[in-house]
Amino acid sequence: MHEMGIVLHLAKTLDETAEENKLTKIGRVTLQVGEVSGIMTDLFTDAFDYFKKKHPMLTECKLELETIPGVTWCDNCHKTYETVKYGKTCPHCGSGETWLLQGNECIIKEIEAE
Amino acid sequence: MKIINVGASVTASNDKDAALLREEMRARGQLMINLMSSPGSGKTTLLSRLIRDLSEVKIAVMEADIESAVDAERIEALGAKAIQVHTDGMCHMDAGMTRAAVEALDDDAAQLIFLENVGNLICPAEYDTGAGLNMMILSVPEGDDKPLKYPLMFEQSDALVISKTDALPYFAFDLEKCAERARKLNPQIRVFPVSAKTGEGMEDLEAWLLERLAAY
Ligand SMILES: Nc1nc2c(ncn2[C@@H]2O[C@H](COP(=O)(O)OP(=O)(O)OP(=O)(O)O)[C@@H](O)[C@H]2O)c(=O)[nH]1
Ligand SMILES: [Mg+2]
Ligand SMILES: [Zn+2]
């Protein structure tokens, strides 16, 4: 499953962050997830909660998700618009020559740990 | 409890592993090519053709599939070394899985190592495998609008192979438009229209591969 793969990568990056900062336990992790990153937040949360039970450093870790809105740029009229609302077609001019500016990312913003 | 600002992608650790693998393979003079596409776009057929045409180069293939070993068997039948990698349900190969596959392949003599990634235009583009080159295939029947729908894959690829060009008469596929859309996303991308069936366009692709191998 796509979401479990991301959880595994997240855990690996957190393990390294913990090692660098000499941490033993992570109590909270805050992720910024792009609106159109294709990550299903419910599935992601379930996958994380399943995984953390088997990963001592994360057993009590709370997952917080923040959303990065999807914003698309129109090459034809040089305006931006909300990706989720209008998809590929520019609402200003009807052009399909449009490109995603942001909303595809998955970033670890911060962690709370000891 | 203290708060640490991380500000890194969830795949930061994978990116580090990938960079290390890339350096190790470069030191051995082995060029790994990560081949990505939708299912059935003609990856195995293209590889079979390359193995036959580039007989002066030692080629090995790592076939990543969620299941089955038919692709590896097809490659081995041509006399090239091949291994099948099962991804255990994962939709992509990452650097750790790729390292394990390179170790399982265990072929220091191979000069070009192809990784046939899982058939999917989304997830494989999100994970650096440690390959020296990313090559994607888009086949004519899939349509020339794919750069608009899967931009990340086109942004991450060094080369776009447009395959099955012998089928162009049967599809409304605009080669120029497709190449232009791809270049808009990635001005550096090399575009190679080929037919692995008739051999049309294979020479340019093969010359480019040999050039990249020599420069590696
Ligand atoms: N007409 C035509 N058919 C092709 C060409 N290349 C591949 N095919 C056909 O496309 C189908 C799929 O080819 P494969 O090489 O198995 O594709 P693949 O990408 O390896 O497939 P998966 O590994 O299952 O994702 C087969 O029926 C091939 O014969 C081509 O250049 N021209
Ligand atoms: Mg195949
Ligand atoms: Zn517009």
Side-chain angles (χ1 to χ4, degrees):
Chain A
M1 183 186 48
H2 185 70
E3 279 68 20
M4 187 50 101
I6 301 166
V7 167
L8 295 177
H9 283 276
L10 167 66
K12 199 158 172 288
T13 301
L14 289 177
D15 282 345
E16 274 182 16
T17 309
E19 209 180 298
E20 281 162 19
N21 295 281
K22 308 207 170 17
L23 308 170
T24 53
K25 200 191 243 173
I26 299 182
R28 171 175 63 86
V29 55
T30 303
L31 295 188
Q32 296 174 304
V33 181
E35 228 175 356
V36 289
S37 62
I39 297 171
M40 309 294 244
T41 49
D42 290 357
L43 283 179
F44 187 80
T45 306
D46 289 349
F48 184 81
D49 288 342
Y50 169 79
F51 177 83
K52 74 181 191 183
K53 295 198 191 89
K54 302 181 293 180
H55 206 72
M57 196 177 56
L58 297 177
T59 310
E60 282 153 43
C61 184
K62 277 208 303 271
L63 178 67
E64 276 180 12
L65 300 177
E66 294 177 359
T67 304
I68 300 179
V71 178
T72 299
W73 163 260
C74 173
D75 244 7
N76 186 49
C77 71
H78 294 203
K79 287 186 191 146
T80 59
Y81 63 87
E82 291 169 64
T83 311
V84 172
K85 210 155 156 192
Y86 301 105
K88 279 288 322 158
T89 309
C90 174
H92 309 298
C93 72
S95 167
E97 295 291 312
T98 56
W99 313 94
L100 188 67
L101 280 184
Q102 63 162 56
N104 196 26
E105 37 297 85
C106 185
I107 298 164
I108 308 171
K109 183 182 174 194
E110 59 178 34
I111 57 175
E112 200 177 315
E114 58 190 37
Chain B
M1 285 270 177
K2 57 179 170 180
I3 292 178
I4 297 170
N5 291 318
V6 183
S9 152
V10 289
T11 56
S13 166
N14 183 65
D15 295 346
K16 253 167 59 185
D17 292 352
L20 187 66
L21 179 61
R22 190 157 31 244
E23 272 324 299
E24 288 175 16
M25 293 188 73
R26 190 194 291 280
R28 291 199 297 265
Q30 295 184 302
L31 176 57
M32 175 161 62
I33 299 180
N34 177 22
L35 193 56
M36 297 175 284
S37 80
S38 307
S41 65
K43 296 179 291 292
T44 309
T45 308
L46 184 80
L47 287 177
S48 306
R49 180 108 203 180
L50 288 173
I51 290 164
R52 261 182 280 134
D53 293 353
L54 299 175
S55 52
E56 70 273 29
V57 181
K58 276 218 66 176
I59 297 178
V61 178
M62 307 188 295
E63 293 282 353
D65 274 304
I66 291 177
E67 244 159 280
S68 105
V70 289
D71 282 353
E73 284 160 13
R74 276 168 70 189
I75 297 292
E76 275 187 328
L78 297 166
K81 188 152 178 179
I83 58 161
Q84 189 75 44
V85 184
H86 285 157
T87 59
D88 290 330
M90 288 292 172
C91 47
H92 62 272
M93 288 290 286
D94 63 24
M97 293 154 80
T98 306
R99 173 181 290 280
V102 172
E103 280 164 11
L105 180 69
D106 189 26
D107 186 356
D108 286 345
Q111 300 165 282
L112 268 184
I113 300 179
F114 284 95
L115 170 65
E116 185 177 325
N117 212 316
V118 181
N120 166 348
L121 284 180
I122 303 170
C123 317
E126 291 170 3
Y127 295 91
D128 190 345
T129 57
L133 284 178
N134 286 328
M135 191 159 115
M136 68 169 293
I137 302 184
L138 176 67
S139 64
V140 164
E142 290 170 75
D144 56 25
D145 59 349
K146 292 301 167 288
L148 303 174
K149 294 189 177 162
Y150 306 99
L152 188 65
M153 178 61 76
F154 290 82
E155 284 165 17
Q156 298 297 328
S157 296
D158 299 288
L160 162 65
V161 173
I162 300 177
S163 67
K164 309 193 189 178
T165 54
D166 56 282
L168 275 170
Y170 312 105
F171 294 91
F173 188 104
D174 188 332
L175 272 184
E176 260 322 298
K177 200 167 206 169
C178 184
E180 186 192 307
R181 283 170 174 159
R183 288 200 191 99
K184 207 168 223 174
L185 291 168
N186 177 356
Q188 266 73 270
I189 199 166
R190 296 292 306 260
V191 181
F192 299 101
V194 307
S195 165
K197 190 175 171 188
T198 64
E200 191 193 354
M202 290 298 297
E203 274 171 25
D204 286 350
L205 173 62
E206 287 161 2
W208 179 74
L209 286 172
L210 292 176
E211 191 185 294
R212 294 306 297 252
L213 180 62
Y216 203 59

